[in-house]
Amino acid sequence: MSDRMSLWSCLLTTFDSVQNAAGLQAVEKDANGNDVVDEKKTLLPLYHTTMHVQICVTLNQHGELLHIEKEPRPRTIIIPCTEESMGRTSKPVPHPLCDQLQYVDKGFDDMKTTMYLKQLAEWKGNDPKLNAIYAYVSARSVSEDASECGVALSEKDRKIGIRFAVQLPGEYNPHVEDDVNLRNRWIEYRQRGRMRDGTDLFGKELYAQAANFPKNIVGTAGNAKLISANDSTNFTFRGRYADRDEALRIDAETSQKIHSTLRWLINRHGTITDTQAIVTWAVGAPNDEIVDPMAQFGDLSDFLPATETESDALQDALVRTDVSYAKRFRALLGGYGSPDFLERHADTMVVVILDAATSGRLSVTYYRELQKDEYIESVMNWHVDSSWPMVRFEKDSAKTDGSAKPIHYIGSPSFIDIINCAYPTTDRSGKSYKRFEKNVRKQLIECMFSNSELPRSLLNAVARKVSRPMGYDSPTAWNRDLGIACSMWKKHFNDEFKRNGTKEIKVELDPKRTDRDYLYGRLLALMDNFEEREMYRRGIGGTRQTNAMRLMSNFAAKPYATWGNLWDRLLPYMAAASPGVSNKFRDDIDDVIALFENGEYEDKSPLSPLYLVGYSHQRRYLRQQAQEKAAKKRSEAE
């Protein structure tokens, strides 16, 4: 429970830092460059929630209907709510202002409309907009008026969302969901006449104990609640508490702060996979050295679009939670960019993973608070230990055929690349892939921040897949996965090095390393490279895979026997090659074989995935040699 108590404390601190941005709309750019309001990324004010609406009823100041419109698709708006309506399920509980058709049209359900009007009457006072809505709903039927306006509403539309607009003289925006005065009026009404009743579970002042808790914290698990206490029949509290109010003593306003802030953080900072949300954020105000969130971020600029808003208060909120840092942090979780900027961050970071184990329960499956030194060390270790020569492809603006140019770099693979490398098929559309993706994401984050080892099942999965190059659709895809597999196994072997003092694996070829598996990998790369070069010399390059690639899985299982088979298949190529090329190849083979310890060359046991590292090292070394030789020839020719 201590971790969860820390989570609540961090959420409350974050809410205090950004509360002046509550209700301010987050404006972003769509694919066409137009400004679009994203209500999901708007911090909700107290006693407010979101609702999907599609019908707009426009009234004048006297509550007389002007027109009714139905939008092509639902939009999400911020509406006032009560604690009960925020978490309502089957029990009829109205929202105070905007609601479903069945609550604002007595022709559908007279009881629900009566409840709606009673609640509205209690807080409307002399507000002209509220009085206009009250007068209209009391006297008219939305569905009947809609038919006269050319909008057909039937029984199947009883849960469609309704919003109101009241046109007042001299007022520009008639939509009630945008009226800040109405929002504040509702908050003041809810806080009026409160009496303190001690403190709650989190040490905050208790005025009204929370009886219901909101759902829709993670959009993909809409009905899942993070906090609930609705079990009164299975003796949940027996032995410690008399009833649920003793067991879960939380102030209603505190509950709203927690849930509203968490929902906002998930939508702004989170990575959502299936029912899982991974969230990272800075708890308090950042220090003076924080990078402007509107600025470009060097190596990360290709992956991180700048956030644009029109509100200074919202900008302040973004700085206080360091949204740019959260984006860059998410990029780091994806493996992109350089972690150098972390040196400039001194604030506490929170990493939390939420997942819905069932349709109604949202769980905290991982939680860490990281101070500056601990955080930097964890991220830097991950990037150093899993770094490997990688390649990504960028569109070449100089070419009109849409082709991409390869960009070679040394870095760690992205989480999604690791997931796709480990997944056995290329079909990523089913539920099994989503489950696999969210489980692996969680495992990788635990490895990064909890100093745990990469799961052996994940390591074995990538090794098995990469050891079967003939199962790939293209050499490019296999080369990418080879780099990912080597990156992961390098980290695994280097973790062992830290524990046991075994020899560390570097990014470059280690010509003095004598591990049997590593040396066999080097031999396979030499053979693959020689055959590929001879195939291109004969004009048949690219028409088929080399024998080394065809028999790679056999080689991993039975290296000594398969090596002899490959050597026999290569003899015709050696006989046809020029003496200099053939002799150089034989010398390279002899140099590697000479490094085997006594009896290890003839050992018939299967190879460990270290052979992939040796293969990759040797192949890269050969290509570097070829590039240097070609550059030297060009220089001499010039």
Side-chain angles (χ1 to χ4, degrees):
M1 187 66 181
S2 59
D3 280 350
R4 291 174 173 80
M5 291 294 288
S6 297
L7 172 60
W8 311 143
S9 177
C10 289
L11 289 170
L12 291 170
T13 301
T14 302
F15 180 86
D16 292 339
S17 298
V18 299
Q19 61 176 319
N20 60 333
L24 298 180
Q25 295 178 330
V27 180
E28 298 188 347
K29 297 290 186 181
D30 62 11
N32 299 320
N34 301 318
D35 288 342
V36 177
V37 175
D38 190 344
E39 298 292 355
K40 292 183 178 180
K41 294 184 179 181
T42 301
L43 180 64
L44 293 178
L46 289 174
Y47 305 105
H48 284 72
T49 187
T50 58
M51 187 177 77
H52 297 301
V53 298
Q54 199 168 358
I55 301 293
C56 181
V57 178
T58 302
L59 311 172
N60 64 18
Q61 59 185 323
H62 305 297
E64 297 168 343
L65 178 68
L66 298 179
H67 54 82
I68 296 178
E69 295 176 326
K70 183 177 182 180
E71 300 183 60
R73 59 181 62 87
R75 66 164 64 192
T76 303
I77 65 171
I78 299 173
I79 64 168
C81 68
T82 64
E83 182 189 357
E84 294 79 10
S85 70
M86 184 187 300
R88 72 185 182 190
T89 52
S90 58
K91 183 180 179 181
V93 183
H95 290 308
L97 187 55
C98 300
D99 211 328
Q100 297 172 348
L101 180 62
Q102 60 183 331
Y103 283 96
V104 299
D105 190 336
K106 56 188 176 184
F108 279 84
D109 194 318
D110 185 64
M111 181 193 70
K112 290 181 178 178
T113 306
T114 301
M115 296 170 63
Y116 169 85
L117 289 170
K118 181 178 182 296
Q119 183 170 248
L120 180 57
E122 291 174 352
W123 74 283
K124 66 184 181 63
N126 60 358
D127 186 277
K129 290 185 178 179
L130 297 182
N131 277 288
I133 295 171
Y134 183 86
Y136 174 78
V137 176
S138 300
R140 306 290 298 177
S141 166
V142 175
S143 57
E144 291 178 3
D145 289 343
S147 62
E148 296 179 4
C149 297
V151 178
L153 295 175
S154 62
E155 176 64 25
K156 68 178 182 180
D157 296 315
R158 65 186 299 112
K159 292 188 177 181
I160 196 169
I162 308 293
R163 66 186 179 120
F164 294 97
V166 181
Q167 293 186 355
L168 300 178
E171 186 163 322
Y172 172 71
N173 189 350
H175 297 288
V176 295
E177 71 271 13
D178 297 328
D179 194 325
V180 177
N181 291 328
L182 281 182
R183 289 180 184 173
N184 293 334
R185 184 185 186 93
W186 174 248
I187 294 172
E188 291 170 2
Y189 171 74
R190 296 298 298 178
Q191 294 178 336
R192 192 180 304 156
R194 297 187 305 174
M195 298 292 292
R196 182 180 175 186
D197 185 22
T199 58
D200 67 2
L201 188 64
F202 305 127
K204 301 298 180 179
E205 294 182 344
L206 178 64
Y207 294 102
Q209 185 160 339
N212 293 280
F213 299 94
K215 53 186 179 179
N216 199 29
I217 306 302
V218 178
T220 52
N223 290 323
K225 294 185 177 182
L226 187 60
I227 303 175
S228 64
N230 57 4
D231 184 1
S232 59
T233 59
N234 294 322
F235 303 100
T236 304
F237 317 112
R238 185 174 62 177
R240 290 191 67 184
Y241 305 106
D243 54 35
R244 53 154 287 169
D245 290 340
E246 289 187 9
L248 197 57
R249 187 176 169 87
I250 300 176
D251 180 67
E253 190 169 297
T254 299
S255 171
Q256 289 185 44
K257 291 179 180 179
I258 288 172
H259 288 92
S260 177
T261 305
L262 182 57
R263 185 188 291 112
W264 180 71
L265 289 168
I266 289 171
N267 288 320
R268 275 200 172 273
H269 305 246
T271 299
I272 299 177
T273 304
D274 195 23
T275 58
Q276 179 194 78
I278 302 171
V279 196
T280 62
W281 81 95
V283 175
N287 57 36
D288 295 337
E289 298 179 357
I290 195 70
V291 178
D292 181 359
M294 299 293 291
Q296 295 296 318
F297 309 127
D299 292 339
L300 299 176
S301 59
D302 292 337
F303 307 98
L304 303 175
T307 302
E308 295 187 10
T309 70
E310 299 177 354
S311 166
D312 291 339
L314 186 56
Q315 281 296 314
D316 182 63
L318 297 182
V319 172
R320 286 183 178 275
T321 56
D322 199 354
V323 69
S324 67
Y325 185 84
K327 284 186 175 181
R328 286 174 291 166
F329 183 84
R330 285 174 58 192
L332 280 176
L333 289 181
Y336 295 123
S338 167
D340 293 343
F341 69 87
L342 297 174
E343 301 288 350
R344 300 193 295 274
H345 188 83
D347 206 27
T348 300
M349 290 293 299
V350 167
V351 182
V352 62
I353 302 178
L354 305 156
D355 196 8
T358 66
S359 60
R361 292 290 181 268
L362 189 65
S363 301
V364 179
T365 60
Y366 182 81
Y367 178 81
R368 284 294 302 273
E369 288 179 32
L370 298 138
Q371 301 304 318
K372 176 186 176 182
D373 294 340
E374 180 186 9
Y375 176 78
I376 292 175
E377 182 180 1
S378 298
V379 177
M380 295 291 286
N381 284 345
W382 171 271
H383 280 264
V384 170
D385 290 349
S386 61
S387 61
W388 197 258
M390 308 293 290
V391 61
R392 71 173 187 264
F393 292 88
E394 292 183 358
K395 187 175 180 180
D396 193 342
S397 58
K399 297 181 180 180
T400 59
D401 59 357
S403 59
K405 60 180 179 179
I407 305 297
H408 294 274
Y409 66 100
I410 293 178
S412 60
S414 69
F415 275 22
I416 193 63
D417 282 343
I418 293 175
I419 292 164
N420 292 338
C421 179
Y423 195 65
T425 70
T426 57
D427 182 10
R428 296 158 191 165
S429 58
K431 292 183 179 180
S432 61
Y433 174 77
K434 287 296 182 184
R435 286 195 298 269
F436 182 81
E437 180 184 357
K438 74 175 186 179
N439 290 336
V440 174
R441 281 187 186 276
K442 180 175 180 292
Q443 291 172 333
L444 294 177
I445 287 177
E446 289 174 346
C447 292
M448 182 179 283
F449 297 111
S450 300
N451 296 320
S452 58
E453 295 183 6
L454 285 165
R456 198 58 184 254
S457 59
L458 195 63
L459 291 166
N460 290 337
V462 298
R464 283 194 302 269
K465 189 175 178 181
V466 170
S467 293
R468 296 175 173 84
M470 300 305 293
Y472 283 80
D473 295 333
S474 69
T476 301
W478 180 79
N479 284 323
R480 180 195 63 230
D481 279 4
L482 173 65
I484 295 168
C486 290
S487 163
M488 295 175 66
W489 277 98
K490 176 201 171 196
K491 175 170 173 53
H492 170 76
F493 288 129
N494 283 345
D495 286 342
E496 288 188 340
F497 160 74
K498 293 174 184 177
R499 290 194 313 271
N500 306 326
T502 55
K503 194 169 184 180
E504 185 179 9
I505 293 177
K506 303 289 187 179
V507 172
E508 302 294 337
L509 175 70
D510 186 350
K512 297 182 180 181
R513 194 176 190 105
T514 59
D515 300 80
R516 166 181 172 267
D517 304 330
Y518 184 83
L519 294 176
Y520 260 120
R522 290 185 61 187
L523 290 176
L524 186 67
L526 287 167
M527 185 169 285
D528 179 40
N529 177 263
F530 178 78
E531 183 178 355
E532 185 178 44
R533 288 175 58 193
E534 288 304 303
M535 287 172 61
Y536 274 100
R537 189 181 64 82
R538 294 184 179 191
I540 59 174
T543 59
R544 65 167 178 83
Q545 292 277 26
T546 64
N547 288 302
M549 291 294 94
R550 289 178 173 183
L551 299 179
M552 192 171 194
S553 59
N554 291 21
F555 185 81
K558 301 176 180 179
Y560 183 66
T562 308
W563 170 254
N565 186 2
L566 289 172
W567 185 262
D568 292 341
R569 295 188 183 197
L570 210 61
L571 289 176
Y573 289 96
M574 288 188 285
S578 64
V581 172
S582 180
N583 291 337
K584 176 65 168 57
F585 170 65
R586 291 175 184 271
D587 290 343
D588 288 341
I589 293 292
D590 289 342
D591 289 342
V592 174
I593 292 178
L595 294 173
F596 280 90
E597 301 289 345
N598 289 336
E600 290 195 345
Y601 175 67
E602 298 82 7
D603 186 351
K604 297 181 180 180
S605 60
L607 298 175
S608 77
L610 183 60
Y611 91 94
L612 293 172
V613 177
Y615 172 87
S616 180
H617 273 168
Q618 184 66 52
R619 190 175 70 158
R620 184 164 183 260
Y621 175 75
L622 292 171
R623 289 183 178 177
Q624 287 175 335
Q625 280 190 320
Q627 291 170 356
E628 291 172 0
K629 185 176 181 181
K632 184 178 180 181
K633 284 185 177 181
R634 287 195 300 269
S635 178
E636 291 174 350
E638 292 173 355

